[in-house]
Amino acid sequence: ASIYSSASILGRLVSFLMNLHITPRTIWLTRHGQSVYNTRGLLGGDSPLSRAGIGYADALRCFVRARDPAVIWTSTLQRTIQTGRATGRGCLQIKALDEIDAGICDGMTYAQIADRFPSVADARAADKLRYRYPQGESYEDVIRRLDPVIMDLERSQEPVMVIAHQAVLRALYAYLVGQAREDCPHLSIPLHTVIELR
């Protein structure tokens, strides 16, 4: 098993190095506009944008026109798709960019989780990186599923905008700026903000 694991790691490293280039380019990261679930403090779901979220999507259209990214990537959830569509550009929907799966806690507030599932709230507070929601995901799961996305970002020679979700963008941002994996779940990625990386 350890030989297979080493070979697998070596294979991924070789593939990464073959696709690495030094062409300067810009990557923009932004969360979707505020969703109806955001206004209620609810986790996950697939709710549409709120009025404020629609306003952000409209403002993002002006930003996109001025910067002209070659491609815009979104998750497959409607709040990112709505945000991307508002830019007036074609968007590539990527399932790996979907928000962390909160499992049995999907659609709940953190207060409701603490009330109904205190052991879940305590375990996640103790180790947010590794804790997996029951029937859901951990940050480590999200980081693993982003491997192909990161490879595509490394391969890209043109500007890319990624419209996604907090956990996903925390993981991408941590990778792109060289933050420690343990810091990833605690990075600030606010709504209605574009992060520009060159």
Side-chain angles (χ1 to χ4, degrees), residues 5 21-23 25 41 45 51 57 62 76 86 111 116 137 140 143-144 152 162 173 182-183 198:
S5 177
H21 57 81
I22 56 170
T23 305
R25 71 210 183 279
R51 188 182 306 271
C62 297
T76 63
R116 289 186 56 195
E137 292 181 299
E140 286 199 328
I143 291 167
R144 264 190 298 282
D152 286 344
V162 180
Y173 180 82
E182 289 72 23
D183 296 337
R198 296 182 187 203

Side-chain angles (χ1 to χ4, degrees), residues 9-62:
I9 291 168
L10 181 60
R12 288 174 62 194
L13 179 60
V14 168
S15 177
F16 172 78
L17 292 173
M18 288 177 63
N19 288 297
L20 191 62
H21 57 81
I22 56 170
T23 305
R25 71 210 183 279
T26 305
I27 298 170
W28 294 281
L29 305 177
T30 185
R31 286 173 67 185
H32 52 81
Q34 180 191 61
S35 71
V36 171
Y37 263 33
N38 289 141
T39 64
R40 299 175 185 162
L42 301 172
L43 276 67
D46 192 17
S47 67
L49 296 180
S50 68
R51 188 182 306 271
I54 292 168
Y56 175 68
D58 290 340
L60 191 61
R61 177 175 52 241
C62 297

Side-chain angles (χ1 to χ4, degrees), residues 59-69 72 87 89 161:
L60 191 61
R61 177 175 52 241
C62 297
F63 181 92
V64 165
R65 283 184 184 153
R67 271 75 173 187
D68 197 28
I72 298 175
T87 67
R89 303 286 296 276
M161 173 174 278

